[in-house]
Amino acid sequence: MTDNSAQPQHCTEATLVDGHALVFPTLRVLQADGSLYEQAQLPQIDKASALKIYHSCVFTRVLDERMLAAQRQGRISFYMTCTGEEAAVLGAAAALDDADMIMAQYREHAALHYRGFTLEQFMNQMFSNINDLGKGRQMPIHYGSKALHYMTISSPLGTQIPQAAGYAYGQKMRGEDNVTICFFGEGAASEGDFHAGLNMAAVHQAPVIFFCRNNGYAISTPAEEQYAGDGIAPRGVGYGIKTIRVDGNDMLAVLAATQLARQVALEQQCPVLIEAMSYRLGAHSSSDDPSGYRSKEEEQKWREHDPVLRYKLWLQAQGWWSESDDEALYQQYKQEVLAAVKVAEVLPMPELSTLVTDVYDEVPKHLSEQLEQVKTQVQQYPEYYRATAGKEHL
């Protein structure tokens, strides 16, 4: 149960408490040159896990670059990049147990790669081909993997937040030795689901880590036009949730914060909120043009805080990585991604009938009727149902 034992304090003079009275420090470990801040402490990390994190950084950079180009070529219909937020995603993912549930928003494919999602699985999902785990039912980049404890992504903003609170409460009821982490942006923190989810988790003391990537923009709306208070972190305190703010471009700081959050969530069976201060270097999505609402100078300023470069410099300072290693890894992933695109884009689409299968043991009559109506519609107007890369449905 929540500790409500604090004694109330009283006063005899009307006094307003300003919302900025609570000042949140930002945890930092790693400086831009790859050295540690004075008195900063390393999180638990060894060479193997450090290099695994970096491999996922490079993979994600290459995947983002190549698949955004593929979208521009009309080979896939949609894409969203993680560029600039790799540390916020991977630092958190690396702090988790493999069986902890991840409920992502849509920019956390780096975490899925870290868990072991293969390049072929990424491609099959984006091309919605016959090998896609979701059978082509989702938009590109809306991944999901039951085997890797990665809940399938929903397009509506913020819906995963109350779901994460409920899932974590279920873990608690079952006595599991795991937590749930829920990623979302600061824009989603303006949704009603954010408040419902945090309140539910706090009241029921669910072992969930709410991870807010504060990347500066909700599509085109800058952070200063989204909220009047000091970011998202104070809201956690308002709901009685333990909260920490961290430099979201600092891989080691995010790792340290999430390791602490997981330990507390598990041992005390309670929610924790992390606010990672970062910046979305890319566009919101392949349908967005950020030049209409922010300057190149602003973007360049944040490129100087590149989380991947900062982390690479730290790896090199440990003697664990070199420039030649780096060049070789980038080349390897570029070749593998291009080859995987060529394979995935020519595979056939799932049969249309899979729209109504694998939910019920027997397809209900009304769904069978709707399927026939869809088939008739597609056959009558095939020009409106052409799939990406020229493939046909049916």
Side-chain angles (χ1 to χ4, degrees):
M1 297 296 290
T2 304
D3 181 7
N4 294 320
S5 60
Q7 294 299 313
Q9 298 183 4
H10 303 91
C11 62
T12 56
E13 181 180 351
T15 305
L16 297 175
V17 178
D18 190 278
H20 292 276
L22 179 63
V23 178
F24 262 89
T26 301
L27 176 65
R28 301 186 305 180
V29 175
L30 193 57
Q31 300 189 83
D33 64 359
S35 63
L36 304 188
Y37 284 100
E38 187 176 355
Q39 298 184 330
Q41 296 183 351
L42 273 178
Q44 298 175 26
I45 187 169
D46 56 26
K47 179 180 178 180
S49 57
L51 292 179
K52 181 180 177 183
I53 292 171
Y54 189 69
H55 274 243
S56 287
C57 284
V58 175
F59 172 84
T60 306
R61 281 277 162 105
V62 171
L63 187 73
D64 282 355
E65 177 191 350
R66 297 295 173 175
M67 299 317 296
L68 191 59
Q71 192 279 333
R72 298 300 189 230
Q73 296 165 354
R75 300 166 87 167
I76 60 173
S77 60
F78 182 75
Y79 194 75
M80 301 181 89
T81 72
C82 180
T83 307
E85 299 176 68
E86 293 89 348
V89 175
L90 282 165
L96 303 175
D97 182 86
D98 285 346
D100 290 340
M101 176 56 72
I102 294 178
M103 293 197 178
Q105 183 157 294
Y106 39 54
R107 209 179 291 284
E108 294 86 6
H109 39 288
L112 193 51
H113 180 264
Y114 185 84
R115 280 275 173 98
F117 208 60
T118 68
L119 174 57
E120 289 72 24
Q121 288 175 315
F122 277 108
M123 290 301 160
N124 292 336
Q125 197 283 330
M126 283 186 276
F127 283 96
S128 299
N129 64 34
I130 195 170
N131 293 330
D132 173 24
L133 296 178
K135 301 181 180 179
R137 294 163 171 155
Q138 290 277 20
M139 292 172 62
I141 66 93
H142 286 52
Y143 312 104
S145 172
K146 184 177 182 179
L148 297 177
H149 304 279
Y150 194 97
M151 189 69 72
T152 300
I153 294 168
S154 299
S155 290
L157 193 63
T159 53
Q160 76 277 18
I161 300 174
Q163 291 168 359
Y167 192 91
Y169 186 60
Q171 290 174 312
K172 179 177 183 175
M173 293 296 97
R174 293 190 295 270
E176 296 179 4
D177 196 29
N178 289 105
V179 304
T180 294
I181 189 167
C182 179
F183 290 98
F184 53 91
E186 87 285 349
S190 296
E191 295 286 329
D193 279 344
F194 168 84
H195 300 282
L198 264 68
N199 190 55
M200 182 167 65
V203 170
H204 294 288
Q205 292 291 279
V208 54
I209 301 170
F210 295 111
F211 194 101
C212 177
R213 295 177 292 92
N214 191 335
N215 65 14
Y217 286 89
I219 307 182
S220 61
T221 304
E224 61 266 24
E225 295 181 17
Q226 297 179 49
Y227 48 78
D230 179 25
I232 308 304
R235 301 182 192 178
V237 177
Y239 281 110
I241 293 177
K242 294 177 174 59
T243 302
I244 184 171
R245 175 177 285 161
V246 62
D247 179 350
N249 285 14
D250 180 340
M251 187 73 74
L252 299 180
V254 175
L255 181 62
T258 313
Q259 286 176 344
L260 174 62
R262 184 180 189 278
Q263 177 184 354
V264 170
L266 198 58
E267 291 181 354
Q268 301 181 25
Q269 291 292 288
C270 68
V272 178
L273 171 63
I274 298 174
E275 182 181 23
M277 310 306 291
S278 185
Y279 188 80
R280 192 193 73 213
L281 280 176
H284 170 70
S285 74
S286 55
S287 303
D288 174 48
D289 177 9
S291 67
Y293 55 83
R294 69 186 190 194
S295 67
K296 291 294 183 185
E297 290 75 16
E298 178 183 310
E299 293 178 14
Q300 182 56 38
K301 171 189 169 186
W302 279 94
R303 290 188 189 282
E304 296 170 3
H305 299 277
D306 187 330
V308 176
L309 175 60
R310 193 189 311 186
Y311 184 58
K312 183 181 78 170
L313 292 175
W314 178 75
L315 290 175
Q316 291 177 336
Q318 310 313 302
W320 295 348
W321 198 246
S322 69
E323 285 299 327
S324 60
D325 292 334
D326 208 53
E327 183 177 351
L329 186 62
Y330 270 97
Q331 288 303 319
Q332 174 193 329
Y333 279 140
K334 286 178 180 178
Q335 293 172 6
E336 290 178 355
V337 169
L338 283 175
V341 167
K342 293 178 180 177
V343 172
E345 68 180 348
V346 297
L347 289 175
M349 307 284 288
E351 291 186 10
L352 197 55
S353 60
T354 60
L355 275 173
V356 298
T357 58
D358 74 14
V359 174
Y360 299 94
D361 287 337
E362 295 183 8
V363 178
K365 180 182 177 182
H366 71 284
L367 290 182
S368 295
E369 293 173 349
Q370 289 176 22
L371 175 63
E372 293 307 311
Q373 291 170 359
V374 170
K375 287 181 177 178
T376 301
Q377 178 79 4
V378 174
Q379 289 173 339
Q380 188 171 0
Y381 304 102
E383 67 273 24
Y384 293 109
Y385 295 95
R386 300 189 71 83
T388 304
K391 291 181 288 188
E392 302 287 350
H393 290 287
L394 294 176

